Amino acid sequence: ITGRDWLLLAVMGLGPLGGAFFLWDKALKLGDARQIGILSYLTPLGSTALLMLVGGRAWSWSVALAAVMIIGAAALGTRAK
């Protein structure tokens, strides 16, 4: 591994990846773990939407169906038993 590679790994670990782990730990300590788990279902949908927006791509029927299924599962998970 080159010096540049080490630098990129350090930036990734301290930046977005490190921040995500820090915020996840903080959320689990201060929040309701069930709600946080349900919200985590929305992460892949958000990243896909961001990639499509940045890439200038249109939503396909399969992505739209997946979005409906993810949101539906999150909604079902929030219902009280």
Side-chain angles (χ1 to χ4, degrees), residues 44-67:
L45 178 59
S47 63
T48 301
L50 182 62
L51 284 171
M52 293 180 84
L53 180 70
V54 170
R57 300 193 62 177
W59 284 71
S60 65
W61 68 269
S62 59
V63 174
L65 177 63

Side-chain angles (χ1 to χ4, degrees), residues 15-27:
L17 188 60
F21 280 120
F22 175 78
L23 293 174
W24 181 260
D25 181 57
K26 193 76 156 171

Side-chain angles (χ1 to χ4, degrees), residues 1-2 7 12 25 29 40 46 53 56 63 67:
I1 296 180
T2 67
L7 177 65
M12 233 174 38
D25 181 57
K29 287 179 181 173
S40 70
L53 180 70
V63 174

